[in-house]
């Protein structure tokens, strides 16, 4: 078994051994990054490999998975006018969060905790619960009140314990972080733990392979805590550094207008969040994060890529979900946000891919 790379704090450089249960920087309490700079394999060497995200083994900080559910390798389908969709709602637990959850469960299995905890508005918790069930690890998921009953049903079906926390998404995160201080607890945080980002980055490695060794001009992603966007940024950097692409795509981040702290900071030209964004109701519940801990990293990644931010209204989300359903793709409202942002030509004539991140069966059809 290969040694695990250490973590470090991107804010102050503090190093944290991966084989500890530390989930954040002990100095500033911020999220961690991984001291890991892999070289992806060339396109021709991928033929015949396992048909899951583990085919990109050279880019992953863990090898020889034991908890895989065959995650990854989701279809890429054209929509219209150079815009395509990657169907990540077809992953085992019906959301893209499986890409990162399998890495966290594999890491937890190697560390041998007394229990695993997570916080979530639904999809991440479902994914962590499923992969902990696969690994035989006890799991507790902290969720905010008002979480979709269908998502709660899915979490408990995997044998996880659900703790409903009064308040919103940040209240659930606070409760989980307090519980994470208990001895022998592994906090499977999809925000603070960098292993999750190294799982989500496989989304872009798959795009690169499916497009014959290139990437679209634009990669569009929904952003709340930014785990898919930051994973995409990692993969683009890996492919470019290895000389496997000669042009980096622009990263465009989509937020709901009702809760758009990052888009507001972007409009202000700021390097970090500006002011205080209150929690608010939105159909895009999965990205309704008023204070994302990795805000500085997200803003920098978008800026460095030459991309930008787009916001969508509730009406736009409703119509986008219906439009996708009319094309045979039934996705949850958060997953429809990216299509809402670009379907009417916001990107001009550039080629782009949007992720359809979660299945419509998780939340049902939105009403105007």
């Amino acid at each position: 078994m290969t040694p695990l790379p250490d973590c470090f704090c991107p804010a102050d450089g503090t190093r944290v051994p991966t084989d500890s249960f530390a989930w954040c920087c002990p100095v500033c309490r911020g999220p961690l990054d991984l001291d890991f700079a892999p070289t992806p394999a060339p396109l021709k060497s991928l033929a015949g490999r396992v048909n899951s995200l583990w085919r990109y083994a050279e880019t992953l900080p863990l090898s020889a998975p034991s908890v895989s559910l065959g995650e990854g390798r989701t279809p890429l389908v054209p929509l219209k006018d150079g815009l395509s969709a990657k169907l990540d709602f077809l992953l085992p637990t019906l959301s893209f969060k499986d890409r990162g959850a399998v890495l966290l469960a594999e890491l937890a299995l190697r560390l041998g905790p007394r229990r695993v905890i997570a916080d979530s508005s639904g999809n991440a918790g479902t994914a962590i619960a499923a992969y902990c069930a696969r690994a035989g690890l006890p799991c507790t998921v902290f969720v905010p009140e008002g979480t979709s009953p269908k998502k709660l049903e899915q979490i408990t079906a995997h044998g996880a314990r659900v703790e409903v926390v009064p308040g919103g998404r940040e209240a659930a995160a606070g409760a989980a972080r307090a519980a994470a201080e208990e001895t022998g607890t592994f906090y499977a945080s999809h925000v603070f733990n960098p292993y999750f980002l190294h799982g989500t980055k496989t989304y872009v490695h798959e795009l690169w392979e499916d497009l014959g060794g290139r990437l679209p001009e634009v990669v569009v992603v929904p952003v709340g805590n930014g785990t898919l966007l930051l994973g995409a940024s990692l993969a683009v950097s890996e492919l470019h550094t290895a000389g496997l692409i000669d042009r980096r795509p622009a990263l465009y981040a989509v937020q709901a207008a009702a809760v758009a702290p990052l888009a507001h900071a972007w409009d202000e030209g700021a390097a970090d969040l500006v002011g205080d964004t209150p929690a608010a109701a939105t159909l895009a519940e999965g990205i309704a994060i008023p204070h994302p801990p990795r805000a500085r990293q997200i803003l920098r990644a978008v800026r460095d890529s030459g991309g930008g931010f787009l916001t969508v209204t509730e009406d736009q989300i409703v119509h986008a979900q219906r439009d996708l359903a009319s094309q045979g793709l039934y996705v949850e409202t958060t997953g429809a946000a990216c299509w809402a942002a670009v379907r009417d030509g916001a990107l001009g004539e550039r080629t782009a891919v949007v992720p359809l991140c979660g299945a419509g069966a998780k939340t049902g059809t939105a009403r105007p």
Side-chain angles (χ1 to χ4, degrees):
M1 190 176 295
T2 56
L4 298 174
D6 284 343
C7 298
F8 69 93
C9 174
D12 58 34
T14 301
R15 297 188 69 81
V16 178
T18 294
D19 60 2
S20 74
F21 288 128
W23 58 269
C24 67
C25 173
V27 177
C28 71
R29 308 293 287 178
L32 299 171
D33 282 350
L34 204 58
D35 188 6
F36 181 60
T39 300
L43 188 65
K44 62 182 180 181
S45 72
L46 298 178
R49 292 193 180 190
V50 61
N51 194 37
S52 73
L53 63 81
W54 296 94
R55 71 196 280 110
Y56 311 107
E58 292 86 352
T59 72
L60 298 174
L62 292 164
S63 59
S66 57
V67 300
S68 176
L69 291 167
E71 57 287 330
R73 301 297 294 142
T74 53
L76 180 66
V77 300
L79 293 177
K80 69 171 187 178
D81 302 331
L83 303 177
S84 298
K86 188 155 174 61
L87 311 189
D88 263 22
F89 68 92
L90 298 180
L91 285 162
T93 75
L94 309 182
S95 92
F96 87 95
K97 296 291 177 61
D98 291 356
R99 294 184 182 275
V102 67
L103 269 290
L104 292 186
E106 189 70 37
L107 176 61
L109 188 63
R110 298 188 186 198
L111 298 182
R114 181 174 58 84
R115 68 165 178 163
V116 175
I117 64 169
D119 60 274
S120 172
S121 60
N123 285 340
T126 297
I128 297 296
Y131 283 95
C132 280
R134 184 75 166 175
L137 294 168
C139 178
T140 299
V141 181
F142 293 81
V143 301
E145 57 187 359
T147 297
S148 165
K150 294 181 180 180
K151 293 180 180 179
L152 296 180
E153 179 182 348
Q154 195 177 5
I155 292 170
T156 56
H158 293 305
R161 176 183 174 186
V162 172
E163 291 281 355
V164 179
V165 180
R169 180 67 183 81
E170 293 190 342
R177 291 168 197 168
E181 301 302 324
E182 297 177 14
T183 302
T185 298
F186 178 82
Y187 181 22
S189 172
H190 60 291
V191 181
F192 281 77
N193 194 307
Y195 277 78
F196 195 90
L197 305 182
H198 284 270
T200 63
K201 75 182 181 185
T202 58
Y203 171 87
V204 165
H205 284 289
E206 289 178 19
L207 284 182
W208 169 77
E209 183 181 1
D210 290 342
L211 294 172
R214 61 182 179 86
L215 289 173
E217 294 172 278
V218 177
V219 172
V220 186
V221 290
V223 172
N225 278 310
T227 56
L228 184 54
L229 184 136
L230 291 173
S233 180
L234 278 172
V236 168
S237 179
E238 291 169 2
L239 291 166
H240 190 264
T241 299
L244 296 174
I245 54 172
D246 57 11
R247 174 190 50 80
R248 296 174 184 246
L251 301 178
Y252 272 77
V254 177
Q255 295 208 287
V259 185
L262 291 160
H264 175 61
W266 178 265
D267 290 342
E268 295 293 319
D272 205 344
L273 300 179
V274 177
D276 184 52
T277 299
T282 173
L283 292 169
E285 61 181 7
I287 53 173
I289 309 296
H291 306 102
R294 292 188 184 268
R296 292 183 67 89
Q297 290 177 278
I298 296 165
L299 290 163
R300 184 172 64 249
V302 173
R303 187 170 291 112
D304 289 349
S305 78
F309 277 80
L310 301 168
T311 58
V312 292
T313 66
E314 302 302 292
D315 281 347
Q316 285 178 299
I317 293 171
V318 170
H319 292 303
Q321 187 192 37
R322 291 177 177 175
D323 183 33
L324 288 168
S326 74
Q327 300 182 61
L329 302 168
Y330 185 42
V331 302
E332 65 177 346
T333 43
T334 299
C338 285
W339 186 236
V342 304
R343 73 188 185 108
D344 291 327
L347 300 176
E349 296 182 357
R350 288 178 289 180
T351 59
V353 172
V354 299
L356 301 184
C357 294
K362 287 174 171 281
T363 56
T365 303
R367 304 297 178 192

